[in-house]
């Protein structure tokens, strides 16, 4: 798994191969295929093994929903700015854009492992919609800042970004949906 996660993070979904992962793990490619079936199966397993988003869910359960927006946004940005987790998140975003099957796997993972637990934790009206709006907003900010590197957002101080965006995230979580 470590070899697969590293390959997806360093080379992306398209350039990662079963043979390359097997070589890095010092195993036969047939063994990788036996356990994971295909590159898609390997990507899905790499996505789900110890996901960086796990700490977000811990935070969700340990936070008062009225201040969750700020804490969730800050922790999400920290994940992107930590070398190991940032590389994995970047690989997931790039992988989902590179392949329809990878996109479907990422969407299923996000729904099952992030959005539904978030919806349950906030317990507000339209909880699933709120969780999806929050996730879409966070992903959009991360994509502009860390993937596309759009300025001045890319170089904006993290705490300044949190101050600007936390009220928007909080509104998605608990505010009036109009």
């Amino acid at each position: 798994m470590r070899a697969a996660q590293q390959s997806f993070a360093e080379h992306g979904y398209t350039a990662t191969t079963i043979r390359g992962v097997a070589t890095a793990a010092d195993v036969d490619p047939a063994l990788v295929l036996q356990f994971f079936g295909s590159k898609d199966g390997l990507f899905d397993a790499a996505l789900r093994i110890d996901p960086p988003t796990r700490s977000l869910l811990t935070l969700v359960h340990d936070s008062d929903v009225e201040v969750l927006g700020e804490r969730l946004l800050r922790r999400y940005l920290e994940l992107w700015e930590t070398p190991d987790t940032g590389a994995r998140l970047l690989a997931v975003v790039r992988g989902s854009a590179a392949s329809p099957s990878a996109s479907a796997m990422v969407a299923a993972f996000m729904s099952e492992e992030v959005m539904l637990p978030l919806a349950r934790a906030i317990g507000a009206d339209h909880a699933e919609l709120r969780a999806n709006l929050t996730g879409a907003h966070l992903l959009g900010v991360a994509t502009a800042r860390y993937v596309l590197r759009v300025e001045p957002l890319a170089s904006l101080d993290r705490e300044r970004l949190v101050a600007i965006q936390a009220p928007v995230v909080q509104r998605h979580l608990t505010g009036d949906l109009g």
Side-chain angles (χ1 to χ4, degrees):
M1 271 299 79
R2 235 177 276 134
Q5 289 173 333
Q6 185 172 357
S7 183
F8 286 120
E10 290 177 5
H11 308 293
Y13 179 86
T14 305
T16 293
T17 64
I18 295 289
R19 184 173 306 284
V21 170
T23 299
D26 198 27
V27 299
D28 189 280
L31 186 63
V32 177
L33 288 171
Q34 179 182 346
F35 279 99
F36 302 104
S38 65
K39 182 164 83 169
D40 284 349
L42 184 62
F43 181 78
D44 189 49
L47 177 67
R48 293 176 183 275
I49 297 284
D50 192 29
T53 54
R54 184 169 291 146
S55 67
L56 293 175
L57 296 179
T58 301
L59 181 107
V60 165
H61 295 295
D62 293 344
S63 296
D64 176 9
V65 74
E66 296 305 318
V67 296
L68 181 58
E70 179 180 339
R71 295 188 71 207
L72 187 62
L73 176 61
R74 180 176 288 112
R75 182 67 187 123
Y76 185 66
L77 296 175
E78 288 169 355
L79 287 174
W80 275 93
E81 293 173 9
T82 301
D84 180 51
T85 56
R88 287 185 63 198
L89 290 168
L90 185 61
V92 168
V93 171
R94 286 184 174 156
S96 66
S99 160
S101 58
S103 177
M105 286 181 272
V106 171
F109 170 81
M110 292 299 294
S111 178
E112 298 162 13
E113 303 294 330
V114 180
M115 298 303 154
L116 288 176
L118 177 59
R120 286 186 203 110
I122 59 177
D125 63 319
H126 309 289
E128 285 186 47
L129 175 60
R130 290 175 180 283
N132 277 261
L133 288 169
T134 301
H137 188 83
L138 292 175
L139 182 59
V141 168
T143 299
R145 182 174 169 94
Y146 302 108
V147 179
L148 302 175
R149 310 250 345 122
V150 175
E151 290 296 346
L153 183 61
S155 59
L156 188 64
D157 176 75
R158 180 184 344 141
E159 287 307 309
R160 177 91 171 105
L161 180 57
V162 169
I164 294 167
Q165 289 294 307
V168 178
V169 175
Q170 189 64 45
R171 181 176 181 273
H172 290 317
L173 292 169
T174 60
D176 180 23
L177 294 178

